Amino acid sequence: MTEFDVPAVGSNDVLLRTKMAGVCGTDVHILHDKVPGVVTPSILGHENVGKVEELGEDVTTDAQGDPLSEGDRVVVLPESCRDCYNCVVLGDEAKCEDRTSVGGWLRADEHPHFVGGFGEYIFLEGGGELIKIPDDISDEAVIMGDAIRIAVHGFERMGGIEYGSDVLVQGPGPVGLAAVAMADDSGAGRIIVTGAPDERLELAERFGADHTINITDVDESDRIERVRSITDGRGVDATFEATGFPPAVREGLEMTGTNGSYMIMGHYGDAGSVELNPHDINRKQITVDGAWSAATRHFVQALPLLRRYPWTETVTDYYELEEVNEAIRAMEGQETVKAVIEP
């Protein structure tokens, strides 16, 4: 634990008091040196809800252009430069070449020090990328918004799903639950979720899953056959990978049917490679794509979903700042769906 003096707020700066910070699977990957671009020393915590403590005189609106005032509740999102090749030519802010974010990508041993959610304050130079949160959306739902914006990005890249499509979601963690919600909201036919433990699978049913398969109880070949059986022998129309486990990709391709789509969303960190048979993709004409992080618009598009599903149930454990190590261990051991820090 380290203490810093709170810096003076300049005309373009914002000081937030942290209300809640989510512990993400990415935080675990960072600690295992699996995420590129992270600097040290830093303060982790990139899933944050804060209250505007002090607002620079030139900061008047959030990233949507909505009026911003002291006392407002906001979410802090990664900030894209909107000036590089990927932002301007490709139109993809999620792949910004100069992206910055609190929670691991800014040094904490220099001004303004408060550069992550695992602290009492967050100091944003130049205003940062803030979205004001409507009063009818809970802090817990906003924390899960980091996961759901990735699911929104994945559905966007896939072009959505057709009404009545059979959908498989691999992994009932935060991103997987968000994908279940997206599939349910999009009019999916049968939604199947594979993963573990039982508590997460039961929660997936609350979000709209029709069938769940516990990977600790059913081996891979039987899982594949069960998915085929549920889908009348065809396999699913769309699969969303949210495990971060390379062998899941091979398995998911086996479960995906002819002319199906396979979206990889869980491999933010490099977990290694896996052997695939290209014939399986070629023969079934499967479209394979990936969604890396998300843009600000994906969070804004997710706001209606944050009102409709039981997101508060996904936050199963609350920790004080002094207990951050215990919270990270709980996430790594899958002892919790989502752990949060309340500094």
Side-chain angles (χ1 to χ4, degrees):
M1 299 293 291
T2 303
E3 292 188 2
F4 299 108
D5 292 330
V6 179
V9 175
S11 61
N12 291 308
D13 302 331
V14 178
L15 178 67
L16 306 178
R17 180 176 285 275
T18 307
K19 290 196 66 186
M20 184 178 290
V23 182
C24 181
T26 299
D27 295 317
V28 176
H29 296 322
I30 287 173
L31 293 176
H32 290 292
D33 197 26
K34 298 294 185 181
V35 179
V38 172
V39 300
T40 56
S42 191
I43 299 173
L44 298 186
H46 59 273
E47 301 175 333
N48 306 305
V49 179
K51 185 176 181 179
V52 178
E53 187 89 351
E54 190 173 348
L55 203 59
E57 60 184 17
D58 292 337
V59 183
T60 58
T61 63
D62 70 358
Q64 291 190 93
D66 291 339
L68 196 60
S69 304
E70 292 180 1
D72 284 342
R73 193 169 50 116
V74 297
V75 62
V76 186
L77 298 174
E79 187 172 9
S80 301
C81 72
R82 299 182 174 92
D83 194 43
C84 68
Y85 181 89
N86 290 351
C87 284
V88 176
V89 178
L90 298 184
D92 192 346
E93 294 178 14
K95 295 299 294 177
C96 172
E97 298 169 7
D98 299 304
R99 210 171 202 207
T100 58
S101 176
V102 299
W105 290 267
L106 298 168
R107 294 184 65 92
D109 60 347
E110 57 190 32
H111 178 83
H113 301 297
F114 296 94
V115 291
F118 298 165
E120 293 179 335
Y121 294 94
I122 300 173
F123 192 104
L124 300 170
E125 293 186 286
E129 192 83 350
L130 300 177
I131 296 293
K132 186 163 61 174
I133 302 303
D135 293 338
D136 60 345
I137 297 178
S138 69
D139 290 346
E140 288 84 354
V142 176
I143 291 297
M144 286 294 292
D146 185 72
I148 198 171
R149 68 192 182 95
I150 295 172
V152 171
H153 187 195
F155 271 71
E156 177 185 84
R157 290 191 61 82
M158 184 181 281
I161 61 171
E162 293 187 10
Y163 194 86
S165 295
D166 289 331
V167 173
L168 168 67
V169 176
Q170 295 177 282
V175 174
L177 291 174
V180 173
M182 286 285 296
D184 179 67
D185 192 64
S186 300
R190 291 166 288 201
I191 302 174
I192 307 166
V193 179
T194 60
D198 283 334
E199 292 78 10
R200 292 191 177 196
L201 294 173
E202 291 167 4
L203 191 55
E205 293 175 355
R206 296 271 290 120
F207 278 76
D210 300 292
H211 304 272
T212 60
I213 302 172
N214 191 316
I215 61 173
T216 61
D217 299 334
V218 183
D219 64 29
E220 180 175 336
S221 60
D222 287 341
R223 294 196 294 266
I224 294 170
E225 287 306 313
R226 188 172 297 186
V227 169
R228 288 175 176 165
S229 175
I230 293 170
T231 57
D232 304 317
R234 294 190 298 270
V236 298
D237 302 297
T239 299
F240 296 89
E241 180 279 324
T243 68
F245 184 55
V249 175
R250 179 182 58 227
E251 179 178 329
L253 289 169
E254 289 283 340
M255 296 171 170
T256 305
T258 298
N259 289 351
S261 298
Y262 191 87
M263 176 58 58
I264 300 172
M265 304 188 299
H267 286 256
Y268 192 79
D270 186 352
S273 60
V274 64
E275 184 176 309
L276 298 174
N277 185 346
H279 175 69
D280 292 333
I281 299 172
N282 193 184
R283 174 176 56 86
K284 292 190 288 184
Q285 301 181 161
I286 297 174
T287 300
V288 180
D289 202 346
W292 172 278
S293 188
T296 296
R297 73 174 185 278
H298 297 127
F299 178 84
V300 174
Q301 291 168 344
L303 286 173
L305 281 181
L306 297 183
R307 296 184 174 97
R308 297 180 197 160
Y309 290 85
W311 301 105
T312 55
E313 296 180 26
T314 65
V315 178
T316 50
D317 295 275
Y318 296 78
Y319 294 85
E320 296 180 359
L321 186 58
E322 293 78 7
E323 300 173 308
V324 64
N325 291 330
E326 289 87 341
I328 292 173
R329 279 194 287 268
M331 283 297 295
E332 183 171 22
Q334 294 190 347
E335 299 166 15
T336 177
V337 178
K338 173 62 72 174
V340 297
I341 308 296
E342 294 183 308

